[in-house]
Amino acid sequence: MVQERMSETIALVTGANKGIGREISRQLAAQGVQVLMAARNRERGENAAAELRAQGLSVEFILIDVTLQPSVEEAAAEIARRYQRLDILVNNAGIAFDWYPASELTVETLQATFETNVFGVFRVTKAMVPLLKQSKHGRIVNVSSGLGSLSRNADPNSTLSIRNMLLAYCSSKAALNMMTIQFANELKTFGIKVNSANPGYTATDMNQHRGPRTVEQGAATPVRLALLPDDGPTAGVFSDTGADPW
């Protein structure tokens, strides 16, 4: 059994019970990857995994609440026990609450947003790095956003510059992009590539399905980065059109 598992590509996708995370899981599994679909709600996560297995895809549910250190550590131990390594980590879990001007943002909402979007990504990445180092082709994909671009937000001609809201979400994605650079620089000597993916304005529960892009479109770039060849880029932020501005 161990020999069989060692021949597989093993991926962990957080926030995988719905939206872009579920679609990332589906697309990776459709390409023969064994996907561990992580979610904090057991029932929803197991249901999502069961739906994809019914399509003949190789997926399993794993319980992870990215805001809880013991939950993350238990998941890492379980992956180590069952697979001895991890090949792909997609940090997709994220939240956005502050659909109002920055001056109306509360400290509590800012903290809650960073807890998931920044500290949660750090917890999971740090816990999984030892397993990724056991892979011959380790990949980390952080699902970011064009709203985290400092240059685009500062550009008076950018459509983003008129969005004087979502301070918590935008700043959390800017911080996430810096995390991408730092981990990419550290881990490149191990052959691990770390990139941010901008899925575009995709229709999900987070934005009340107002985005014009489908989840299939939104998942395409994270999946492409997860399956990068060994000569692919690292320490970048990418969208459908190529490299995005920081």
Side-chain angles (χ1 to χ4, degrees):
M1 177 63 71
V2 170
Q3 184 175 3
E4 177 185 353
R5 293 215 185 271
M6 288 300 289
S7 69
E8 299 172 335
T9 297
I10 312 299
L12 172 66
V13 182
T14 65
N17 62 292
K18 62 180 180 178
I20 295 174
R22 183 184 184 280
E23 181 60 20
I24 291 170
S25 300
R26 188 193 70 79
Q27 291 187 21
L28 285 174
Q31 297 199 46
V33 177
Q34 170 66 46
V35 181
L36 307 178
M37 299 176 65
R40 62 183 177 180
N41 183 292
R42 180 178 294 278
E43 181 179 3
R44 293 174 184 172
E46 289 180 340
N47 287 343
E51 290 170 359
L52 294 190
R53 281 197 301 272
Q55 300 176 26
L57 298 175
S58 183
V59 301
E60 299 178 27
F61 167 71
I62 185 167
L63 183 68
I64 299 181
D65 184 336
V66 303
T67 68
L68 299 176
Q69 187 67 30
S71 175
V72 173
E73 292 175 354
E74 288 169 12
E78 177 68 8
I79 295 170
R81 183 184 68 80
R82 294 170 60 186
Y83 299 100
Q84 298 81 52
R85 77 180 196 286
L86 184 65
D87 301 298
I88 297 168
L89 168 61
V90 181
N91 287 306
N92 169 76
I95 58 174
F97 295 135
D98 54 320
W99 295 90
Y100 38 74
S103 61
E104 298 178 16
L105 177 66
T106 65
V107 170
E108 291 76 16
T109 297
L110 181 63
Q111 289 176 328
T113 303
F114 268 66
E115 192 62 55
T116 295
N117 296 3
V118 180
F119 298 126
V121 172
F122 178 77
R123 283 189 192 93
V124 174
T125 302
K126 184 175 173 64
M128 301 302 163
V129 160
L131 291 168
L132 286 158
K133 287 181 177 178
Q134 299 304 310
S135 172
K136 295 180 180 179
H137 312 281
R139 303 290 182 264
I140 300 174
V141 181
N142 294 326
V143 178
S144 188
S145 170
L147 294 174
S149 168
L150 297 179
S151 59
R152 292 177 67 186
N153 276 285
D155 182 357
N157 297 315
S158 170
T159 56
L160 297 183
S161 65
I162 64 173
R163 300 184 184 216
N164 61 336
M165 57 179 64
L166 286 169
L167 169 60
Y169 180 78
C170 294
S171 58
S172 74
K173 293 303 183 180
L176 177 62
N177 288 341
M178 176 55 74
M179 197 182 304
T180 292
I181 295 173
Q182 293 281 341
F183 274 113
N185 290 340
E186 176 186 350
L187 298 175
K188 61 184 177 182
T189 57
F190 297 93
I192 299 173
K193 297 186 182 300
V194 189
N195 290 291
S196 285
N198 171 15
Y201 194 21
T202 302
T204 64
D205 288 352
M206 184 184 293
N207 56 43
Q208 294 77 53
H209 294 269
R210 291 177 291 193
R213 291 169 59 82
T214 66
V215 290
E216 290 82 5
Q217 292 171 318
T221 295
V223 169
R224 176 171 60 84
L225 294 174
L227 300 175
L228 279 176
D230 289 343
D231 61 352
T234 193
V237 55
F238 297 93
S239 65
D240 290 353
T241 57
D244 266 17
W246 291 105

